[in-house]
Amino acid sequence: MDDIVKQAMRKWPNVPHCYGWLALDGRGAWRMRDESVQAHNLPGDKITHRALVDFIHRNYTHDDAGNWYFKNGPQRVYVDLAIAPFIAHTDPVHGFVVQTNETLEDLTSAWITSSGTLFLVTNNMVAAVKDQDMALCLDMLAVDGHIVDDAYLLAWLEDTSLPENIILTPPNQPAIKLQRLIKRPAEHFGFNNTPRALR
């Protein structure tokens, strides 16, 4: 957390928190959502100011209830999550990198939904792979040493009686079993997609 944030927290301890105005979309972009955008359920304007994005990244965290936010001084700016708290993209050097520019290392599990969204889990992150990179991920999936073709993967996703025998081999990491994600991701992983103040 930035020192300036810690100083502001001491100076103004009772600033009200902010809900609904910041979102993380499914491709890892931060979006500002004013009242009109919220009322019409629109994605909002993409935040492109580099210093602001870096500030969000450095101060991005969560509470014990699975609500994600960034500390804007003493204020918590809660984040609406389109898919997950982190969005990963493939990187030719580091394998998978999330929107905060951190590398996904030491995967503990890998999950895929019936619609084909891939979730990668470490001890402190739950990341969804953005849709644009899923084609690259298909080459990382294998059964008995052979790359999985589209037809097999679709059949495997639809028929839960088939064994969980698909292996994901991420770049620079050990192979890990791919598991089907049956529950809603937020319920399964324990995060809140839309934090709101208690009334």
Side-chain angles (χ1 to χ4, degrees):
M1 188 181 300
D2 287 5
D3 287 339
I4 192 171
V5 171
K6 295 175 183 176
Q7 292 168 10
M9 288 170 64
R10 289 191 293 269
K11 190 171 183 180
W12 299 290
N14 298 313
V15 175
H17 300 319
C18 180
Y19 297 86
W21 283 69
L22 182 66
L24 178 66
D25 72 18
R27 292 184 172 173
W30 300 102
R31 292 185 175 269
M32 189 65 69
R33 307 181 73 246
D34 62 22
E35 290 175 344
S36 175
V37 166
Q38 293 177 48
H40 293 90
N41 199 27
L42 299 172
D45 294 328
K46 188 181 293 187
I47 299 174
T48 57
H49 190 281
R50 190 70 254 166
L52 176 55
V53 169
D54 289 343
F55 179 67
I56 293 171
H57 289 171
R58 290 193 305 273
N59 298 285
Y60 185 51
T61 187
H62 64 92
D63 62 23
D64 292 339
N67 300 306
W68 285 81
Y69 60 90
F70 91 94
K71 290 292 289 183
N72 181 31
Q75 182 184 57
R76 291 183 179 186
V77 179
Y78 285 92
V79 180
D80 285 2
L81 305 172
I83 304 177
F86 294 92
I87 304 297
H89 66 270
T90 56
D91 181 274
V93 175
H94 301 291
F96 288 102
V97 176
V98 297
Q99 82 276 0
T100 54
N101 300 318
E102 298 167 86
T103 302
L104 272 180
E105 298 177 336
D106 302 320
L107 295 181
T108 57
S109 60
W111 302 79
I112 193 167
T113 67
S114 59
S115 59
T117 301
L118 178 63
F119 285 82
L120 304 174
V121 181
T122 70
N123 284 327
N124 61 355
M125 284 189 200
V126 175
V129 176
K130 68 179 184 178
D131 56 356
Q132 295 162 309
D133 286 25
M134 276 305 297
L136 296 171
C137 294
L138 293 178
D139 289 340
M140 303 176 195
L141 302 178
V143 173
D144 298 328
H146 302 285
I147 292 177
V148 171
D149 61 32
D150 293 348
Y152 183 88
L153 181 60
L154 288 172
W156 185 87
L157 288 171
E158 291 175 0
D159 187 353
T160 57
S161 69
L162 293 174
E164 289 188 329
N165 58 352
I166 297 180
I167 302 298
L168 171 71
T169 306
N172 311 320
Q173 295 204 50
I176 192 168
K177 182 175 75 170
L178 184 65
Q179 301 174 76
R180 295 182 186 89
L181 185 55
I182 306 301
K183 292 182 179 179
R184 288 178 57 250
E187 179 185 359
H188 182 88
F189 296 116
F191 59 81
N192 188 355
N193 289 99
T194 53
R196 291 297 180 268
L198 296 175
R199 303 221 179 253

